Amino acid sequence: DQLSVTYRPDVSIVDAFARWLELILGPHGLVVFDASDGAAKSLVQSIFSRELEVIGQTSRLAATAGDELTRLGYHAQVTPSPDAVSLFSLDGGRNAIRRHNGDDDSFDVGPDRQSLAELRRRVERDPSSFSPNVLLRPVVQDTLFPTVGYVAGPSELAYLGQLRKVYEHFDVPMP
């Protein structure tokens, strides 16, 4: 009965799953948070702005950690592009942001090109038009919800193995 109430043709799979969790676990204190909620993006605007201060720093830090993991006999979970900004632009879709031909002031944002100044203005004006990528998502999560305890699956744990210096760069305590 609960599934038929929450999973309906007019409700997205994400919303249906959240409603189902709320029905089952809400009475036990679980609070469901939608990471795509645009209202929450203003709370992490400083993280997005910082990502645009030193272009590629997040990728470089994660790549260095990945190289060290590989040297120690493990594998890097992610191999970031040095030209990538660890944000997606949400302008009609989820578009990667990359330096255009290595230029520090020109960026390919999906099929469009924007200057660094334009990206910074957008973050200041409308942080909800951005979303963190896999390298920045845990930092954003732990900015919004400081972590007391954490249970990670093997893939997520592998990502975290590359993010210690990224957390330090953003001055966010790592779980």
Side-chain angles (χ1 to χ4, degrees):
D1 288 342
Q2 289 176 333
L3 286 175
S4 65
V5 167
T6 57
Y7 285 87
R8 297 187 324 261
D10 61 323
V11 177
S12 74
I13 189 85
V14 171
D15 288 340
F17 184 68
R19 291 175 185 178
W20 186 60
L21 279 176
E22 182 83 28
L23 275 171
I24 293 173
L25 299 173
H28 301 287
L30 178 73
V31 175
V32 178
F33 175 75
D34 181 357
S36 67
D37 183 348
K41 302 285 179 79
S42 64
L43 301 173
V44 292
Q45 181 180 30
S46 63
I47 299 291
F48 294 172
S49 293
R50 181 88 186 255
E51 178 62 16
L52 294 173
E53 283 177 17
V54 185
I55 301 298
Q57 181 70 356
T58 300
S59 294
R60 283 189 294 278
L61 292 170
T64 299
D67 291 345
E68 181 63 12
L69 286 171
T70 302
R71 189 185 70 72
L72 293 171
Y74 299 97
H75 73 281
Q77 184 70 14
V78 64
T79 307
S81 166
D83 287 330
V85 173
S86 293
L87 294 170
F88 291 107
S89 176
L90 302 177
D91 44 359
R94 194 174 91 157
N95 295 303
I97 304 170
R98 300 188 184 282
R99 277 189 185 110
H100 178 74
N101 294 332
D103 183 355
D104 283 341
D105 192 49
S106 182
F107 294 83
D108 293 321
V109 182
D112 300 322
R113 188 157 308 133
Q114 292 184 9
S115 70
L116 180 57
E118 288 174 294
L119 289 171
R120 286 179 173 160
R121 275 193 299 274
R122 282 186 55 212
V123 163
E124 290 300 315
R125 187 180 68 244
D126 184 18
S128 68
S129 68
F130 293 90
S131 179
N133 77 359
V134 69
L135 296 176
L136 204 54
R137 189 208 49 79
V139 175
V140 167
Q141 171 184 300
D142 292 320
T143 299
L144 290 169
F145 303 105
T147 305
V148 175
Y150 191 78
V151 178
S155 294
E156 193 167 15
L157 191 57
Y159 281 115
L160 286 174
Q162 288 184 251
L163 298 182
R164 181 173 309 282
K165 294 291 184 184
V166 173
Y167 273 85
E168 289 175 9
H169 172 68
F170 287 97
D171 205 23
V172 174
M174 184 175 185

